[in-house]
Every structure is written in C-alpha cells, then in structure tokens.
Amino acid sequence: MTTEPEVPQMPISEASRKWDIDGDGVLDDAERALKNMAAGDDDLDMKQIHSLMKDHLQTQKSLWKFKKIAASFFVIIVILALSNLATSFAAAYLSKDTVASGGDLKNMEGDTLGMQATSEVFDFQELDVEHGKTMVTECMADRIVHMRRVFESGRITHYALCPLPIGHKAAYDFSNPDLPTANIETLSGPVIIAPNSDGSFYTVSGTGVTSDVDFPCDDTSDCDPDLVCDAETKFCATA
C-alpha cells in the first residue's frame, strides 16, 4: 500500500501573516481571497464582489421578512388567547347572573333570556284542568310534550306532540286564558286538546291519537275510522 507524499507547506511571509485569521501558518482559500481583494488582485474582480454583496443584501431582506411574519403570528396568537380568556370570563359571569325558572332562562332581574326545551309526559287518564293547560302552554312555547296512553291490557302507546315536526301545524285559542285549547294538525290527523263543556277536565281527541291496525285499544272508539277493536286480542283490526 502506497501513500502520497505530503506536500510541504511553505511558510507565509510577514506581509501575509495578518491575513492568517486562524493562525495555522497557512492561508486558506478564504484568507487568500481576502488578501487578494485588499490588494486589488484580479482573482476577485468587481463583478464578483458585487454579486457577493447582492447575495448578502438578499439574505438580510429574507431574514427581515421572516422576522415580520414571525412577529405577526405572535400577535395573532396573543389576540386569540386573550379572546378565549375574555369568552371564559363572560361565560362565568353570565352563569352567575342567570337562573332556570319554569323551563326558561332568566337573569337575576327576572327577564327571560331564552327558553329551554323541557320534556314532560302526560297520561290520558290524568288530564285534569292543570295538566290540560300545561300541555297547551308547553306546546305553544315549542317545548317537548309527550303523551302516554296505558290500555286495560297493560300495553302502552306514546305520542310525541310537540315541538311540531315538519308538516305539522297548530292553532291555539287563549280567548279564555284559564281554559286554553290547541288544535294540532298531524300527518295522521288532528289532535285536539280542549276542556270539556263545563271546564272541569281536559280531553285529547282526534284521529292523530287513535290507534292504527295492530295497535292496542280498549274499545272501537280508540281505533282509526273504519277499524274495530278486536275483543279478544285488544288490537285494532279491519272491520
């Protein structure tokens, strides 16, 4: 195995020693270029110097743009953080200043800020005047109102009356505020919530709450028109 002989390094002159930046006794390419530029040597002409200066200035501009972008991002982050903090404080403040009352969201002065969707299930068998009025007013407020019918057989049917689904509509009568009525038009037919003739209790009637084929019943009046209540099965069936 052969090795190339090392080329002996010539000692630099006293004039060149000031350009020996790293002090290793030899001028490398960069140190030699500096010396030549200072001496006006043609190894680095004015065009090369101009090109180096342009590159340097371009680098400075790029760094300045980066700093501006970074500063902008920092400002945006600070603004978002302050916004979230302000929202949290506002929510905490409002939560202390509001209370739920009767299904509505009210402030401490009693003013209504909004309505909450509450759910209440009413039984056909328990429609006294108070229950009937509550059903009408809850539907009028577009809250959740369900009805439940328990038949003699023990079977149970549920009806979702309010809020009104698409395709349903309702008319309310509050001419007598103590005995309001509701007439709800459903896809199955009308549902009428109204007091009896002497106002002693409420009834729910209409084909919207009668039973279809194979639905439970106590007698034929519980079934849709043209259906009868089968005495044995206690289900609505064709006549």
Side-chain angles (χ1 to χ4, degrees):
M1 180 176 181
T2 60
T3 58
E4 295 182 0
E6 294 184 2
V7 179
Q9 297 179 345
M10 298 296 293
I12 59 177
S13 64
E14 289 297 328
S16 298
R17 193 175 300 281
K18 68 177 181 178
W19 300 105
D20 184 15
I21 305 300
D22 53 13
D24 60 356
V26 179
L27 296 183
D28 56 26
D29 292 340
E31 293 167 341
R32 189 177 296 109
L34 285 172
K35 177 186 176 185
N36 292 338
M37 184 172 62
D41 193 281
D42 288 338
D43 286 348
L44 280 176
D45 57 21
M46 294 302 294
K47 290 183 178 180
Q48 291 175 309
I49 296 173
H50 180 256
S51 178
L52 289 173
M53 184 56 67
K54 286 177 64 178
D55 291 342
H56 175 68
L57 293 175
Q58 186 62 36
T59 301
Q60 284 187 324
K61 288 181 180 179
S62 299
L63 289 174
W64 173 243
K65 288 181 180 179
F66 174 78
K67 290 180 180 179
K68 288 176 65 178
I69 293 173
S72 300
F73 275 116
F74 177 76
V75 171
I76 292 173
I77 291 172
V78 171
I79 292 174
L80 290 176
L82 291 176
S83 176
N84 289 336
L85 186 62
T87 302
S88 300
F89 276 116
Y93 177 79
L94 289 175
S95 66
K96 293 180 180 180
D97 203 36
T98 56
V99 62
S101 175
D104 295 335
L105 190 65
K106 299 178 179 293
N107 60 19
M108 299 307 291
E109 286 73 32
D111 300 322
T112 300
L113 303 178
M115 293 185 300
Q116 296 175 320
T118 59
S119 178
E120 190 163 357
V121 178
F122 299 89
D123 285 324
F124 270 67
Q125 293 87 346
E126 299 179 2
L127 285 178
D128 55 24
V129 172
E130 194 61 34
H131 280 99
K133 289 173 59 178
T134 302
M135 285 183 65
V136 175
T137 54
E138 292 291 277
C139 278
M140 181 71 174
D142 209 28
R143 299 193 181 103
I144 300 172
V145 175
H146 288 180
M147 290 195 64
R148 179 179 61 189
R149 173 74 185 273
V150 180
F151 294 90
E152 294 175 357
S153 60
R155 301 184 181 99
I156 300 174
T157 301
H158 280 267
Y159 305 90
L161 298 182
C162 302
L164 299 179
I166 296 175
H168 294 199
K169 59 183 179 180
Y172 300 95
D173 183 0
F174 281 83
S175 57
N176 182 352
D178 293 327
L179 297 171
T181 65
N183 190 334
I184 304 171
E185 290 290 338
T186 73
L187 298 180
S188 301
V191 177
I192 302 170
I193 308 172
N196 67 338
S197 57
D198 61 6
S200 59
F201 61 89
Y202 265 73
T203 62
V204 180
S205 59
T207 55
V209 290
T210 52
S211 297
D212 201 350
V213 174
D214 295 330
F215 275 75
C217 58
D218 288 337
D219 53 54
T220 299
S221 63
D222 297 327
C223 301
D224 288 346
D226 301 326
L227 299 180
V228 296
C229 184
D230 187 285
E232 294 183 2
T233 64
K234 289 297 182 179
F235 283 106
C236 293
T238 55

